[in-house]
Amino acid sequence: DAKTTQPTSMDCAEGRAANLPCNHSTISGNEYVYWYRQIHSQGPQYIIHGLKNNETNEMASLIITEDRKSSTLILPHATLRDTAVYYCIVNSYGQNFVFGPGTRLSVLP
Amino acid sequence: DAGVIQSPRHEVTEMGQEVTLRCKPISGHNSLFWYRQTMMRGLELLIYFNNNVPIDDSGMPEDRFSAKMPNASFSTLKIQPSEPRDSAVYFCASSSMRETGELFFGEGSRLTVL
């Protein structure tokens, strides 16, 4: 069973920041928050993950609340190519990844 | 790095036929996962292996499905006999659990059973 809750869909204007929320109120101490995205029918693509600290890489930033019960993925300058389904997953190393329905992000011109 | 390689990319077959999907994980990765994706059910985990050993096959829908990993560089997912409801995109993914644990997915095998 997916341990996360995400909005079904979101829109974002091209060039603006896309903020995708995720609730994971039952996360345990050794579980990480992972984000993946799936563009059209391609295989899902890893974006970023974190444990308790905020993380940033060339693709996105991940903001995790202090109580770790929710997080936000930030795409700082969304482009049309960022239109995809975004999955938030909580997982421990060595465990299987369970994908929920995710958030369908539409970046609008 | 070539990434995870799956074959065939597309397969069209008739009901009752045997289907074999193949996967070559990224070299050095010690975990391999098979997922199935449909519009109705989304992305479902079928089975995963650690160090070539099946760890969790609870997602395998029924006895018609079987998966093997004879060595660290090759895995197969077999459906025998196939049925129209098996039509889906089948993804293989690999991971090095010793590192950051993220999955690397192949491009998928789109199966259509007529």
Side-chain angles (χ1 to χ4, degrees):
Chain A
D1 295 330
K3 304 176 186 178
T4 63
T5 304
Q6 300 177 251
T8 302
S9 63
M10 294 181 63
D11 291 340
C12 177
E14 187 178 19
R16 305 296 293 269
N19 298 289
L20 292 91
C22 179
N23 287 322
H24 31 80
S25 58
T26 61
I27 191 170
S28 60
N30 65 342
E31 289 183 316
Y32 290 73
V33 180
Y34 288 82
W35 283 84
Y36 285 77
R37 73 179 181 183
Q38 188 173 24
I39 297 173
H40 193 43
S41 56
Q42 298 177 19
Q45 175 192 24
Y46 165 81
I47 301 174
I48 198 167
H49 77 286
L51 184 63
K52 60 177 72 173
N53 298 322
N54 298 337
E55 302 288 342
T56 296
N57 63 20
E58 65 278 4
M59 291 182 68
S61 295
L62 173 60
I63 308 299
I64 303 174
T65 58
E66 190 169 345
D67 64 6
R68 302 211 319 127
K69 293 185 177 182
S70 66
S71 60
T72 301
L73 178 74
I74 301 172
L75 308 178
H77 305 286
T79 70
L80 299 178
R81 288 174 294 182
D82 292 322
T83 293
V85 178
Y86 287 77
Y87 300 99
C88 170
I89 303 165
V90 295
N91 198 18
S92 305
Y93 282 7
Q95 300 300 313
N96 51 302
F97 284 75
V98 177
F99 287 76
T103 296
R104 183 171 297 278
L105 174 68
S106 297
V107 180
L108 307 175
Chain B
D1 194 333
V4 176
I5 300 172
Q6 292 187 245
S7 64
R9 291 293 310 279
H10 302 273
E11 174 93 7
V12 180
T13 191
E14 293 186 346
M15 183 174 64
Q17 296 297 306
E18 178 180 294
V19 174
T20 300
L21 307 178
R22 297 172 178 81
C23 176
K24 176 178 170 53
I26 292 173
S27 178
H29 282 187
N30 62 328
S31 293
L32 184 140
F33 303 75
W34 282 101
Y35 285 85
R36 176 174 71 175
Q37 187 170 36
T38 61
M39 289 292 292
M40 292 295 293
R41 301 175 66 89
L43 200 58
E44 303 173 277
L45 177 68
L46 300 178
I47 185 171
Y48 81 98
F49 297 83
N50 273 352
N51 297 317
N52 312 338
V53 177
I55 301 301
D56 183 356
D57 65 354
S58 59
M60 296 287 265
E62 47 196 274
D63 292 346
R64 297 185 297 106
F65 285 69
S66 63
K68 294 182 179 180
M69 192 165 186
N71 57 61
S73 59
F74 184 65
S75 177
T76 59
L77 178 67
K78 185 174 294 186
I79 309 172
Q80 167 62 22
S82 59
E83 297 182 3
R85 60 189 167 129
D86 302 330
S87 297
V89 181
Y90 291 81
F91 289 104
C92 176
S94 71
S95 173
S96 173
M97 291 299 179
R98 292 184 292 272
E99 299 176 4
T100 55
E102 71 256 31
L103 300 183
F104 294 82
F105 282 80
E107 291 301 309
S109 295
R110 181 175 295 276
L111 172 65
T112 302
V113 183
L114 303 175

